[in-house]
Every structure is written in C-alpha cells, then in structure tokens.
Amino acid sequence: MSDRKLFAAAMLTLAMIATPLPAQAADTATYDRLLSRYVVASSDGINRVRYAAWKASADDVRALNAYVASLEGDHPSRMTRDEQLAHWINLYNAVTLQIILENYPVRSIRDIRSQTLDPRGLIGPWRTPRVTVEGRRLTLDQIENSILRRAFNEPRIHYAINCASIGCPNLAARAWRAETMDADLNAAARTYINHPRGVSIDAQGRVRVSTLYRWFADDFGGADAGVLTHVRRYASPELQRRLAGAATISNYGYDWALNGAN
C-alpha cells in the first residue's frame, strides 16, 4: 500500500474513533405494550400490576428481560439530560418489575433480600447488583441515589421511580420519554400529592404525608417548611386551601404492601 493510501486509512480510523457512535435505541414500543397490558388503574387512584398474569406469559417475561438488556446496551453518557432521565427511570422501573416477577408471589418487595453481605440488604432487593451500563455494575440503590438523585438534583424523580408498593407513586402505564419529561414529572407530582397516600389532612387540620418526604427530606427542602412549600406547588386548589395555615407535619406513613392487581 502506498504512503498516501496508508495515510488516508489512518485518518479514517482516527475519525471513526473520535466520532461517537449513536446511542442504541431501547425497545420502547415493546415496553409500552407490556405496561399497557399489565398496569391497571384502580378506582382508588393507585396503579396496580397484574403480576400473576405477566409471570404466566413466558413471552412477555422474555420481552421485559430483552428490554432491560437493550437499556444496558445503551449509552446514557451520549444523551441529553432528559434522555438520560428517561433512560434511568425506565431502567429502574423495569428492573423492579423483573425482581417482582422473579420472586412472585410475594407480599412485599421488602420480603426479598439483596444478594450482598451488607446487613441493610436483609430488607429489600435494592443492594443486589442487577445491571451493567457503560461498564459499570449497578444496583437499584445506586441508580436511585448515586445517579438520579446526585446527578440531576430533581426532586420530581421520586414521583417517577416505582418500588412496587401501594405507598409508592404510581408506576406509569407507558415508558418515560425525553420529549414529555417535564410535563410528565409535573403530572406525576400532582397525582401523588393530591392522593391521600401523598398528603392528607384530618378534621383537626393535622397534616400527614408520605414517609417519602422524611426519607428524602433534603430533596424536598429539608425541614417541614420546605416539604410543605414543595407540596403546595403541586396541590389542587382545595388542598392548597386546606394547607394554607399548616406550618408543621404531624405524621408520616407508607404502605409497603405489593401493588399487585387481583
């Protein structure tokens, strides 16, 4: 090969190395189909999952596994901010569904132990390494706390990720998308805050909120005042009226029962 051809080949190789490959497109349409088939909106405002029917369909279990694998093969570092948010939220929720299906029937996700020597892993599966993204082995705990919370500084992500529990914000019946991220996060926040498991006020005016706001108080403004300011932002006019004179939170609660549908 001539020197000119060698030089041209070398330049082509360098160009291929320097130009990022496009991120792999996860099979969102398949995930949409699975969610629309198995996530049902109950009359009480809580989305539930038909885990028994899903587990009974080997094809749909394989489809969920294939979707998770497609997310593992993606490259979030090459994405926009909202694309990254959609990637990590969808991955967290899909892996949570995988875990429940692998262990079903189960009364609560907290009954599933993590595969770790960490004593905190005795309750819940959140510390088991589950996926590898861009060469990094990750647990659900790391996706939530080391990536979503730390990198994005976005309190509304708590309304998007789902822990397979009644007390948790709803699992969406479709995949999260970058194109509608802000509107969907706002909608999820309003849905949760205006449901009794998010915020409720008794006849004496005492405010009870989800324990979510205590676990992640720093994300919602810290003390009671910060949490109340946050929930007022998404409260309905009626809830805003009832919260008008509230300065403290009297009680917290959370229902860890599985969000399964009959």
Side-chain angles (χ1 to χ4, degrees):
M1 184 180 291
S2 67
D3 290 344
R4 181 176 296 179
K5 288 182 178 180
L6 283 170
F7 179 78
M11 290 300 98
L12 178 60
T13 300
L14 287 173
M16 291 174 66
I17 294 172
T19 303
L21 296 173
Q24 176 180 321
D27 189 1
T28 304
T30 293
Y31 190 45
D32 279 341
R33 175 181 62 80
L34 294 170
L35 292 173
S36 66
R37 178 175 295 176
Y38 294 109
V39 177
V40 293
S42 300
S43 59
D44 62 3
I46 299 174
N47 284 2
R48 290 175 167 82
V49 183
R50 298 192 303 123
Y51 293 112
W54 197 335
K55 185 162 186 173
S57 172
D59 287 344
D60 285 346
V61 170
R62 282 193 294 268
L64 177 64
N65 294 340
Y67 175 68
V68 170
S70 74
L71 290 173
E72 287 188 272
D74 220 331
H75 301 281
S77 64
R78 300 173 185 171
M79 298 176 181
T80 66
R81 179 183 185 275
D82 283 352
E83 287 171 343
Q84 289 182 49
L85 276 171
H87 169 89
W88 292 115
I89 292 169
N90 286 330
L91 181 59
Y92 186 99
N93 290 344
V95 170
T96 300
L97 288 166
Q98 271 189 324
I99 291 169
I100 298 300
L101 291 172
E102 289 167 6
N103 291 275
Y104 193 83
V106 64
R107 293 176 302 176
S108 169
I109 191 171
R110 300 206 330 154
D111 294 337
I112 304 169
R113 293 187 176 187
S114 296
Q115 298 172 11
T116 175
L117 297 178
D118 185 343
R120 294 175 299 174
L122 295 176
I123 298 176
W126 300 288
R127 291 175 178 83
T128 297
R130 289 285 312 194
V131 292
T132 301
V133 179
E134 293 188 319
R136 183 182 178 188
R137 192 70 175 155
L138 295 167
T139 66
L140 285 175
D141 183 80
Q142 289 170 319
I143 293 173
E144 179 178 12
N145 295 302
S146 299
I147 297 175
L148 282 167
R149 293 182 63 218
R150 183 177 299 173
F152 294 96
N153 189 29
E154 173 54 81
R156 293 176 299 170
I157 63 100
H158 294 291
Y159 306 116
I161 56 176
N162 182 269
C163 64
S165 302
I166 294 295
C168 196
N170 280 339
L171 174 66
R174 64 191 287 269
W176 286 80
R177 288 166 166 77
E179 297 79 10
T180 57
M181 180 59 65
D182 189 61
D184 290 343
L185 287 172
N186 282 337
R190 286 192 294 268
T191 296
Y192 191 66
I193 286 168
N194 290 288
H195 190 277
R197 72 193 192 283
V199 180
S200 62
I201 304 168
D202 66 16
Q204 287 72 44
R206 292 173 298 200
V207 179
R208 177 188 183 276
V209 301
S210 168
T211 314
L212 186 76
Y213 298 110
R214 185 169 66 189
W215 294 328
F216 303 106
D218 289 345
D219 297 359
F220 296 107
D224 287 4
V227 172
L228 290 169
T229 296
H230 172 84
V231 301
R232 286 188 181 104
R233 187 175 302 133
Y234 302 99
S236 67
E238 173 60 19
L239 182 58
Q240 287 180 355
R241 183 187 66 78
R242 299 188 66 195
L243 285 169
T248 60
I249 295 169
S250 299
N251 196 15
Y252 295 85
Y254 201 87
D255 186 348
W256 279 106
L258 186 72
N259 63 341
N262 295 329

